[in-house]
Amino acid sequence: MNPRELPVYELRESLIRNLQAGHRLLVKAPTGSGKSTQVPQIILDHVLAPDKEIVVLEPRRVAARLLARRVAFERQGVLGHEVGYHVRFERMISPSTRLRYVTEGILLRELILDPALSRVGAVVFDEFHERHIYGDVTLGHCLRLQETLRKDLRVVVMSATVETGHVESFLDPCSTLVSEGRMYPVSVEYLNQPVDFGREAVWKAATAVLLNQFRKGHVGDVLMFMPGVYEVSKTIDEIRKHSEFRGWDVLPLHGDLPLEAQDRAVGEHTVPRIVVATNVAESSVTIDGIRLVVDSGLARIPRFDPHRGINTLLVQKVSQASAEQRAGRAGRTGPGRAVRLWTHREHGQRPVSEVPEIKRLDLAEIALTLKALGFTNLDDFPWLEQPDPKAVNRAESLLHDLGATDLNGSITDVGRRMVAFPVYPRFSRLLLEADRLGCVPDAALVAALAQGRSIMLKRPGGAVRDRQQDRLGAERKSDFFLLMNAWTYLASRRFDPAVARELGIHAGAARQVQVLLEQFLNIAEREGLQTKQGQATDEAIQKCILVAFSDHLALRKDEGTLRCQVVHGRSGELSKESVVRKSPLFVASEMVELDKGGPGSRNLNVVLSLATAVEEAWLQEYFPDDFRIASESLYDTDLKRVVTRRNRMFRDLVLESSVDVEVLPEIAAAILAREVQAGRLALPEWNDTVERWIARVNGLSSLRPDWEIPAITPEARQTILEQACLGAFSAKDLKGRKVMPAVKSWLSPAQTDLVERFMPERIELPSGRKARVLYHEGASPRLAATIQDLYGLDQAPSVADGRLRLVVEILGPHRRPLQLTEDLASFWRDTYPALKKELSRRYPKHVWK
């Protein structure tokens, strides 16, 4: 198709005019409209100065490579000259390159070396609706750059969705252009019954659907979406088993393919084709001629894996928005169909759109980059969407544990070296230490094994375990050593499936480790590390693992148990399958929470696996500042006394503890007082008499504030309790200990006299009997008396210099309550006559007036 016929070309004049007048632009155009190839060229040819380049940020490597090649072809140039690309593991650019397609993290790293982006005239954010974390952060930094060093920098954000209100607000002031695009209708079909991919492999289910479509007479190219590279390969194998597809090209499309293989999948063709792709084909890359999309509804989506403390790719169901994007690939050049491997009801239960990466990824890698850019406090960064404070704290904590930041959160020299590695910070730290100790190839293998799924099958059986021990050896120092031996053995036999079965090894997972290993080694070599295999010692590899996972350091509670304490206040249990069951101190590369009580239960058991034994001396070597001696005085419930516990600690993990019964009397008194106030210890003499006295004091303090009698507050209670406990060190010492002297000492003698006079313990009644007044905190004081004792008393007595009238509990001759009242006059006038008539008949010997 002629580029001028693409829908987005209609925006050419408006785009030029807006970017000449302003420096921020939002372009809304659906996938397939040509925005990824044409908008950058328009800017390059009509907006930028000749000495400036344009950088286009792409979410995926495949898109960056293929778009660069397509644009170079349209401009009749050589890839790598005027138009080039730069992705995580390769680059094709030159000094003459002016239009560069890059993956999103590349530009942010370039800012560390060139904070002003001096050669860049415009930055284009393509497919921004996917909301990748590096795209969000780079946009925030570019806007800040516009406001400071580079007011001339142009920023263009392109999105395939109309729901971009939040982005428009963030870009304000900006112009907005909309291209409606042109699409042919796509009919969507669902399955009648759900597919259980646990029982039926996704490639078999997808191939069955494809066969059904062919038998119905399908004509046109096919695009099939699979979650990952492994499933793409299995799908191609499954398709080629069927004679119906003879004469068709069955081609893979994913990020790990060479550029030539990617071109074969998306370029011009003379025979019909079936392209089996990961979600790289969801956007940016247009494959002409697709008439049928078969969508598994699955993708490997990056998320933070709390088990391993890293970001990883997890197979998950795609959102409704992603499904619509995939279906739309069938309607670019003619009417098409999309068949989804789920039911219509299941579709309604899927999330409407993907959660932005800033909300689901660990932030350690992006945080390290931002700190290298000068953002010591991450709250100072202009976030498009504010990250969860817990995620920020987790990232800050990990970076400090890795030695990438100091106590103030500033980046260290080690951290600056780590930034250069485009990998998760754990693994950049691992590789740096491996370079120092001369074991980079082994460390790279450890990193590859830690990232992917386990290559060892679970519960392989006794015979397989015996063969493992015979051929792989019996390891005791690290679970990684067993995995490394297994992988090396299988790799030496070219990943033979028969050998893998004999040893309980997952051949597919082992092959994926090979890909990851090569990537890590390429990165290490590019950063100048020594990647030649030498004679690495076990200790060197163990130290590297310790440095990368020191935040997962665990200490077994004793030799007879697998239960452990872990740094940062956690606990868990070492896996029974681990080879380091005899080691008291180890780091676990995986921490898995198993719910024992079912959904919603709090009965969680944390299992520590992929463990490596370490020595305390190594902790002293690498983290000398993380050791401390902490002394804490506390009440020991076993000894039933106050003791001083001295803990030798690594961070917050207690390595060694000792107990001393010698405690200063004042400290012991304060601790015992807190235990008494919390109800965990008894002080027998602190009884109702004490509580009534406190109620009297507090009552008079409230009623007569002018007398300045100090109330006994909860804080004052603690002080009084401490005074009462002074000289005691154990629960036994509290028995028989006098309390009232300490309580009364809160007041001066004069204040005590006021309490005795105006909040009296007893009040004399007309009968001559002295009735006890019952004082309670927060309630009116009460006096109980028989009718005969109250004769001659017309009004209820009062306290506090007449400011508080008592509640009188009137008792009959039988001492049972008849009435509660503060108004005795009303009682005598309204109630007493009838009571007298009744009670005098029952109790004729009592005096009745």
Side-chain angles (χ1 to χ4, degrees), residues 833-844:
L835 274 175
K836 175 184 176 182
K837 185 180 296 185
E838 178 187 348
L839 291 173
S840 62
R841 287 197 302 269
R842 293 170 58 189
Y843 302 99

Side-chain angles (χ1 to χ4, degrees), residues 3 13 72 105 256 361 370 404 534 576 608 639 670 678 703 725 775 818:
E13 297 303 324
D256 293 330
L361 287 186
L370 289 177
K576 295 176 182 177
L608 312 176
L639 297 176
L703 293 166
C725 293
Y775 295 92
L818 299 173

Side-chain angles (χ1 to χ4, degrees), residues 12 54-55 71 85 122 286 306 319 334 348 446 469 520 538 565 621 634-635 744 750-751 755 778 795 817 833:
R12 177 178 176 276
I54 178 172
V55 178
V71 172
Y85 67 87
T286 296
S319 66
V446 167
Q469 190 157 344
F520 279 116
D538 289 350
Q565 289 299 123
E621 177 185 347
L634 71 162
Y635 182 76
K744 288 198 170 182
Q751 292 167 335
V755 174
Q795 292 293 339

Side-chain angles (χ1 to χ4, degrees), residues 736-811:
R737 199 164 191 82
K738 299 301 180 186
V739 171
M740 189 57 83
V743 177
K744 288 198 170 182
S745 70
W746 184 252
L747 305 181
S748 68
Q751 292 167 335
T752 301
D753 184 59
L754 287 173
V755 174
E756 295 287 11
R757 287 172 56 201
F758 292 101
M759 299 293 278
E761 187 175 9
R762 292 180 180 273
I763 289 181
E764 187 171 352
L765 299 175
S767 65
R769 191 176 77 83
K770 292 185 177 180
R772 183 188 296 276
V773 181
L774 300 178
Y775 295 92
H776 296 284
E777 197 81 43
S780 296
R782 181 182 297 187
L783 178 148
T786 64
I787 291 175
Q788 283 73 23
D789 287 331
L790 295 173
Y791 284 151
L793 195 63
D794 295 330
Q795 292 293 339
S798 62
V799 294
D801 199 23
R803 297 199 176 193
L804 179 63
R805 194 168 296 281
L806 301 181
V807 175
V808 179
E809 185 176 31
I810 302 171
L811 308 176

